[in-house]
Amino acid sequence: SQQGEEDPQALSIQEGENATMNCSYKTSINNLQWYRQNSGRGLVHLILIRSNEREKHSGRLRVTLDTSKKSSSLLITASRAADTASYFCATDLYGSSNTGKLIFGQGTTLQVKP
Amino acid sequence: DVKVTQSSRYLVKRTGEKVFLECVQDMDHENMFWYRQDPGLGLRLIYFSYDVKMKEKGDIPEGYSVSREKKERFSLILESASTNQTSMYLCASRSGQAGRQETQYFGPGTRLLVL
């Protein structure tokens, strides 16, 4: 089964509202990363949180990590129509750093209505 | 600005054809990856390479092979394309050096249709 599972699969909100996406994983990690994908395009890295960190901010993004629950959340505050995209979490598994492999979740599709 | 390029955005091939997908990065990265992305299945790793001429199978290598003759270039080969290989193919690269950025940089993707 997937290392990273995301919830919800799809989310639709109004512009200005906050959007929260969750990611759960199964095994120990070095770090957890969030990526964004606009329709039909490649993925773009948003933010990385290490296993010894609990919260991280970048602009309107806030990421939390709970290693005891093996879960992470991505919060986008004051959403804009331009935030409409798919969002993926990816885990860098403990012991795999040399290879650079990431395990991606299935993604959350976010629609922000103007 | 970092850049990963893929040879084609869209590709249409016939069943049984040999298909080459090329990926080039200009960041001197050691690690390169090929994924395929299908609705409801997320990104699945096909092959990756951690150095020139070095390669390892990912989660779904069947029906694919790869080539890494130069550090900047990683090719995905479909020896005999089949309709179930219709998909979006994404290439990515990442530094393999300790202490360097751990994020992956993605190309724009190649949407392959096999008829």
Side-chain angles (χ1 to χ4, degrees):
Chain A
S1 61
Q2 293 280 343
Q3 160 73 346
E5 296 189 3
E6 297 181 58
D7 168 58
Q9 288 190 339
L11 184 59
S12 182
I13 59 175
Q14 293 294 136
E15 209 166 24
E17 293 180 342
N18 295 341
T20 300
M21 291 159 256
N22 303 297
C23 171
S24 60
Y25 59 92
K26 292 180 168 59
T27 59
S28 296
I29 61 172
N30 291 309
N31 63 68
L32 185 144
Q33 304 177 29
W34 285 90
Y35 289 79
R36 166 192 167 129
Q37 183 182 34
N38 288 350
S39 180
R41 309 293 295 186
L43 279 69
V44 175
H45 177 257
L46 293 176
I47 194 165
L48 179 153
I49 186 163
R50 299 189 185 285
S51 59
N52 60 354
E53 296 176 316
R54 292 296 166 257
E55 189 171 310
K56 206 159 183 182
H57 296 256
S58 176
R60 292 184 297 112
L61 304 180
R62 173 178 167 251
V63 169
T64 61
L65 179 65
D66 187 334
T67 52
S68 67
K69 294 181 179 178
K70 291 187 169 57
S71 67
S72 174
S73 67
L74 171 68
L75 168 67
I76 304 174
T77 60
S79 64
R80 306 166 182 168
D83 294 329
T84 293
S86 292
Y87 293 82
F88 294 86
C89 70
T91 48
D92 188 339
L93 300 184
Y94 182 76
S96 73
S97 289
N98 290 340
T99 67
K101 280 176 61 176
L102 295 176
I103 308 297
F104 284 84
Q106 295 180 2
T108 293
T109 300
L110 172 66
Q111 181 186 30
V112 181
K113 299 174 185 175
Chain B
D1 199 14
V2 298
K3 199 151 189 180
V4 179
T5 57
Q6 294 183 230
S7 50
S8 306
R9 288 301 313 280
Y10 301 96
L11 211 50
V12 181
K13 295 292 181 180
R14 297 219 171 264
T15 300
E17 279 193 79
K18 191 168 186 175
V19 182
F20 292 88
L21 301 182
E22 302 277 333
C23 176
V24 178
Q25 50 96 3
D26 65 358
M27 295 163 282
D28 201 36
H29 283 169
E30 289 76 18
N31 300 331
M32 295 187 75
F33 308 85
W34 274 107
Y35 298 90
R36 65 177 281 177
Q37 183 178 24
D38 301 288
L41 296 177
L43 274 75
R44 294 180 292 168
L45 182 64
I46 304 171
Y47 265 97
F48 68 101
S49 169
Y50 51 90
D51 202 349
V52 175
K53 297 192 187 295
M54 306 303 288
K55 60 187 178 185
E56 281 197 26
K57 294 179 180 179
D59 300 317
I60 51 163
E62 296 77 20
Y64 303 94
S65 62
V66 290
S67 173
R68 185 124 181 245
E69 295 296 318
K70 293 185 178 181
K71 191 175 186 180
E72 67 271 18
R73 189 180 298 268
F74 191 35
S75 302
L76 180 69
I77 303 156
L78 287 65
E79 294 290 342
S80 177
S82 63
T83 55
N84 63 13
Q85 292 177 311
T86 291
S87 187
M88 172 74 135
Y89 289 88
L90 292 163
C91 174
S93 74
R94 195 196 103 148
S95 172
Q97 297 180 25
R100 294 282 300 276
Q101 275 198 324
E102 293 147 294
T103 62
Q104 289 191 9
Y105 294 87
F106 282 82
T110 295
R111 195 168 290 281
L112 173 66
L113 173 62
V114 182
L115 299 174

